[in-house]
Amino acid sequence: MPSFYPAFVPISLFLISVALIFVTIFMELNRAVVITSDNVLVCLGRSSMTILLVHIIVVRESAVRLGFWRSFSIEETALITTFIVIFFAAAARLWQKIDYRFGAEWTLRAISGKTT
């Protein structure tokens, strides 16, 4: 069974096309319904780099080091992933109240001198 990482060209092209389809759908949705900064997708987007770093450092590395890596069934993995996504969405929504301070995005803006 081939490894997913690094992703092969067909997998990359598939994921890129799915992402473009979702962007198109949400842009069309935005024309019909105005998406405000309170929307959970906006909150996730504003904290996406932080979520990526937390996912790599905390979720993936702890799974590997604690021996959970590839030990769950497909159903268990889907359930765990759903709970993690819900947790990140709720955390990002709450984090919006303090304007995403001290996250990776905020730190990058602070380093570049563009923090408000």
Side-chain angles (χ1 to χ4, degrees):
M1 184 169 164
S3 171
F4 180 77
Y5 184 82
F8 295 119
V9 173
I11 293 172
S12 297
L13 292 174
F14 171 74
L15 292 174
I16 290 169
S17 62
V18 169
L20 286 173
I21 290 168
F22 276 122
V23 167
T24 305
I25 289 170
F26 283 114
M27 287 181 70
E28 288 301 319
L29 263 172
N30 194 27
R31 291 181 188 176
V33 178
V34 178
I35 299 175
T36 64
S37 63
D38 291 341
N39 188 296
V40 70
L41 293 176
V42 174
C43 295
L44 285 170
R46 293 280 313 267
S47 57
S48 60
M49 191 184 331
T50 303
I51 292 171
L52 174 66
L53 293 173
V54 168
H55 163 262
I56 292 169
I57 295 168
V58 175
V59 176
R60 187 186 185 284
E61 287 301 316
S62 64
V64 170
R65 299 201 189 275
L66 296 174
F68 294 128
W69 186 250
R70 297 184 184 225
S71 65
F72 296 113
S73 69
I74 293 173
E75 295 81 14
E76 291 169 332
T77 303
L79 188 64
I80 292 168
T81 302
T82 302
F83 284 129
I84 289 173
V85 168
I86 290 170
F87 170 77
F88 279 136
R93 184 75 170 85
L94 291 172
W95 196 14
Q96 178 196 22
K97 294 178 183 179
I98 59 169
D99 200 28
Y100 309 98
R101 289 191 189 211
F102 309 110
E105 297 84 355
W106 181 88
T107 305
L108 198 59
R109 285 192 307 271
I111 290 170
S112 68
K114 296 182 181 181
T115 301
T116 57

